[in-house]
Each structure stands twice: as structure tokens, then as C-alpha cells.
Amino acid sequence: MLSAFVMTEKRDYYEVLGVSRQADPGEIKKAFRKLALDFHPDRNPSPEAAEQFREAQEAYAILSEPEQRSRYDQFGHAGIRGQAGFNNMDDIFSGFSSIFEDFFGEGFGRTRPRRGADLLYRLDLEFREAILGCSKTISIERSQACGTCHGSGSKDGKAPRRCASCQGKGKVTRNQGFFMISQPCPMCQGQGQLIEDPCSSCRGRKTVKKKQEIDVQIPAGVDTGVRLRLSEEGEPGDDLASRGDLFVEVLVKSDPDFERDGTDLYSRVYVPYAIAVLGGEVEVPLLEGTKTVKIPSRMKSPHRAVLKGEGVSDLHRRARGDLIVEMHIATPETMSRESEDLLRQFHESMEKNATAKSSQESGGSKKKSKKKFFSF
């Protein structure tokens, strides 16, 4: 029985790059640059893209070298097999870091500087401060450049040396078959630099923790749980990377005079008995100042008054809620003898009026009944 195997035929390198056989080096380089942008694993994680990227790498490695291209033009893939040091794919990939630096700049493929970490600060506010808005100065502990080494991390101020393990890239790349796998350099922890004699104050970290004061503007209408974001007021990033953000989370204290429900406020006011009966005016406390409210005669308790626009500002639109005042008749805790006598006289007068009214209504009903009876 004969054994058989199938060999996958390589695609033509010119076809891979999408150029003609008469293409000059500039056209070849431009074509590969476009494919690298489309299929590089850092930009396109799909398995198909990884294979196309590997194929484009291999094609460019041959066609960018005049001698290799000449042999390929004469003999095809057979002409370059085992020639000019390309005994395996690892040899082809080994020089590609410099190629990408030529295309995309010196920093391509390196570990990007990390943005600084975000910070969270919890701020207690009085009720009126939250409703009306205010300015607060908070003290936070965050990192800043070490004053001893001026942020160099080195004891004598000497600049860090480039990491020999990753050549300053911050990451190392190894080949696994047709794939290139990158990971942070274990020697420099992804920094790309090594400090030989660390600063004693920051121990080579370049920064130290220090308390700093920051002014925070609190907008009117915040409530418990609201987070205010202060851009780039967090921890510093690596080298030139931006700082993180500072988030100020608000915690609002309760108030003895007001309760809040969204953008509306609620309060309770006690109306003197005489005003509740006769009608009049009372002063209603607001968040700032007072407002006069008319009381109807013979007010029923509780009585509600809605003061438009005296509530809480809406954080998301130009509007303000209402103040809903619940009014109750006040019962005096102490009274003078004269006041008690007057109240008794008032009570007796009310009793007489009630009796007389009852008699009139009773008499009227009898007459009506009698008239109705005789008419029957």
C-alpha cells in the first residue's frame, strides 16, 4: 500500500503583497506597510489576520532583499529554500523589529506608557451645601515626582540605562511556530529602562506619596452617590503618559427642616390657631431666607402649599423643583389666664351658635314634615 501526502503550495510573494513583478522597492515597501497595518496582531486579533500577517512578513523579507529577490525571480520558492541564512522562519522574523520602527516610528511595538491610576475621595456635605452648591478644598494623598532625585529614580541623578534584555522596548517577543508572542520584559518590568543605583527616598520608583490640597466646585443639586470627575487629578502615569482622574463621591447629611425627593423639597410649618381660623399670613422658611404665604380662613389641617421653583436644581437641565409645605394648626403649650378666659368665651360663643343653628334646622324639618303629613 502506497502512502501519500499533500503539500500546501506557497502563494507567489508578489501576489501576497499585491504588486507586479516589475514593482520597485518603494512600491513593495508601501504594499507591505498597508498589509502590516491591516493584519498586525496588535490591531487585528483574528487567526486569519495572523496568518496573512505571517505570509506578508515572509514575502517582504525576500522581496526587500535584492539578492533574495533575484533568486526568487529566477527559481521561485525553490531558489530561496535554505539560502542566505533563511533556514527557518525564526531567521526571517528576527529582524522585523527594525523594519516596523522604520515604518511606524521608533516606538512601534513597544509597551505604551501606562495612564495613571484613578483616585476616589468621599466628601461629606451639609444639606444646604449640596442643594445650593459650594466650593470645597479637599486634601488627598497622591504621588508626585520625588524631590530627592527630581523624578529620575537614580541616587546620583544619572539617567537610567536601556534594558539590554528588551533593547528598551519594554517587551520581549518569542516565536511559536508561525506566531509571534509578546510579553512585558521580566528584566525591566516593561519599563524598557533599568536604574543601576536607585534613589534612597523613592527606591527607584521616581515618585513619592504626599498630601495635596485640591479645590472642588460642587454644583447645585448634587445628592448622595453622585460622583464628580476631576480630569487628570489622579495618580501620575508612566513617563509622558497622562494622569488618572480623581472622582469625588458625595455623601449628603440630613436636615432637620427639609426632606428631599428628587428635585422637590418638603417641609412642615405650624400655623397659629387664630390665623388658621381667621386667615392671614405666615412666613415660610426657604433654603435661603423666607417667603410669605397666605392662609385661608377656617384652614383645614393639614393644608398644603406649593411654592414653585423653590426646590432643588436639576443637574441635567435648567429647571428647579418645588417646595411643598405641609401646614398644621399649632396648639400652644402655655397660655396666660387672660388668653384662657378669651378662649373659653370663644368656645361658649361657638357652642351657642351651634345650638341655635341646630334648633333652626330641627324646627324647619318639623314644619316641613308637618306640612308634608297634612298634604298627604
Side-chain angles (χ1 to χ4, degrees):
M1 182 177 180
L2 296 175
S3 60
F5 65 92
V6 177
M7 177 180 291
T8 303
E9 185 177 354
K10 284 180 177 290
R11 282 208 300 159
D12 180 77
Y13 287 149
Y14 291 99
E15 180 186 343
V16 170
L17 297 182
V19 297
S20 69
R21 288 186 172 272
Q22 289 74 40
D24 59 37
E27 291 177 301
I28 291 174
K29 188 174 184 178
K30 183 179 179 180
F32 175 64
R33 183 181 187 277
K34 183 180 184 303
L35 292 173
L37 286 170
D38 291 339
F39 302 121
H40 191 278
D42 288 345
R43 297 169 178 263
N44 192 332
S46 70
E48 295 81 6
E51 174 59 26
Q52 288 174 290
F53 179 69
R54 180 207 63 77
E55 194 176 38
Q57 279 183 313
E58 182 180 341
Y60 182 74
I62 298 300
L63 299 185
S64 62
E65 293 289 335
E67 184 179 347
Q68 296 298 317
R69 181 179 178 181
S70 177
R71 294 186 64 84
Y72 178 74
D73 288 344
Q74 294 181 51
F75 306 107
H77 292 292
I80 61 169
R81 189 172 296 127
Q83 300 294 322
F86 290 108
N87 295 315
N88 54 57
M89 291 307 299
D90 290 345
D91 292 333
I92 293 177
F93 293 147
S94 61
F96 265 85
S97 59
S98 61
I99 291 174
F100 284 117
E101 287 180 4
D102 289 341
F103 283 157
F104 310 119
E106 188 176 350
F108 184 84
R110 298 185 181 184
T111 302
R112 294 182 179 179
R114 290 173 296 180
R115 175 179 173 275
D118 295 333
L119 296 176
L120 175 64
Y121 183 93
R122 289 185 171 87
L123 177 63
D124 291 329
L125 290 178
E126 297 295 334
F127 189 84
R128 282 174 171 79
E129 289 178 330
I131 303 301
L132 301 174
C134 62
S135 177
K136 288 287 187 178
T137 300
I138 64 175
S139 178
I140 64 170
E141 189 178 67
R142 63 181 181 182
S143 300
Q144 67 174 24
C146 175
T148 304
C149 65
H150 305 290
S152 69
S154 178
K155 185 176 181 180
D156 56 4
K158 184 179 179 181
R161 64 178 176 85
R162 187 174 68 168
C163 175
S165 177
C166 64
Q167 299 301 313
K169 295 180 175 64
K171 64 179 182 180
V172 292
T173 303
R174 61 187 179 88
N175 300 324
Q176 185 172 349
F178 290 135
F179 296 95
M180 300 173 66
I181 300 175
S182 297
Q183 60 186 17
C185 175
M187 182 67 70
C188 63
Q189 305 300 317
Q191 298 298 314
Q193 299 175 329
L194 290 173
I195 298 173
E196 296 178 343
D197 193 4
C199 169
S200 58
S201 297
C202 65
R203 298 181 182 179
R205 289 192 292 265
K206 304 180 182 181
T207 60
V208 291
K209 292 285 188 179
K210 187 177 180 180
K211 284 192 174 182
Q212 296 175 307
E213 291 188 341
I214 299 176
D215 293 329
V216 182
Q217 294 298 322
I218 308 298
V222 297
D223 203 355
T224 294
V226 169
R227 284 190 176 185
L228 306 176
R229 176 185 175 187
L230 280 67
S231 297
E232 297 191 10
E233 290 289 356
E235 291 287 356
D238 293 342
D239 298 326
L240 299 178
S242 62
R243 278 184 173 270
D245 298 330
L246 170 63
F247 291 89
V248 179
E249 185 175 86
V250 174
L251 302 173
V252 182
K253 298 179 182 179
S254 60
D255 187 271
D257 300 323
F258 298 95
E259 290 185 8
R260 177 177 178 175
D261 182 13
T263 58
D264 291 333
L265 290 176
Y266 291 82
S267 69
R268 178 175 292 187
V269 171
Y270 289 91
V271 179
Y273 183 76
I275 294 178
V277 175
L278 302 175
E281 295 180 342
V282 295
E283 292 295 315
V284 174
L286 307 177
L287 288 170
E288 291 182 302
T290 61
K291 190 169 186 177
T292 302
V293 176
K294 290 185 178 181
I295 304 298
S297 60
R298 294 182 291 280
M299 183 194 86
K300 293 182 179 180
S301 183
H303 171 74
R304 274 195 168 191
V306 179
L307 306 186
K308 294 290 185 180
E310 294 294 346
V312 184
S313 297
D314 193 309
L315 285 174
H316 307 293
R317 54 190 179 92
R318 293 183 179 180
R320 192 167 178 177
D322 303 327
L323 171 61
I324 294 91
V325 184
E326 192 176 78
M327 299 182 178
H328 296 260
I329 298 175
T331 302
E333 295 182 1
T334 58
M335 294 182 65
S336 65
R337 183 177 296 277
E338 181 182 2
S339 297
E340 289 181 355
D341 290 341
L342 290 173
L343 189 59
R344 286 193 185 95
Q345 292 176 24
F346 174 74
H347 175 68
E348 290 171 359
S349 174
M350 293 293 290
E351 285 289 323
K352 288 180 181 179
N353 289 338
T355 302
K357 185 177 180 180
S358 177
S359 298
Q360 290 177 1
E361 291 178 351
S362 176
S365 62
K366 287 181 180 179
K367 290 178 181 179
K368 289 179 182 180
S369 299
K370 188 174 182 182
K371 185 176 180 181
K372 184 177 181 181
F373 175 78
F374 281 108
S375 64
F376 179 80

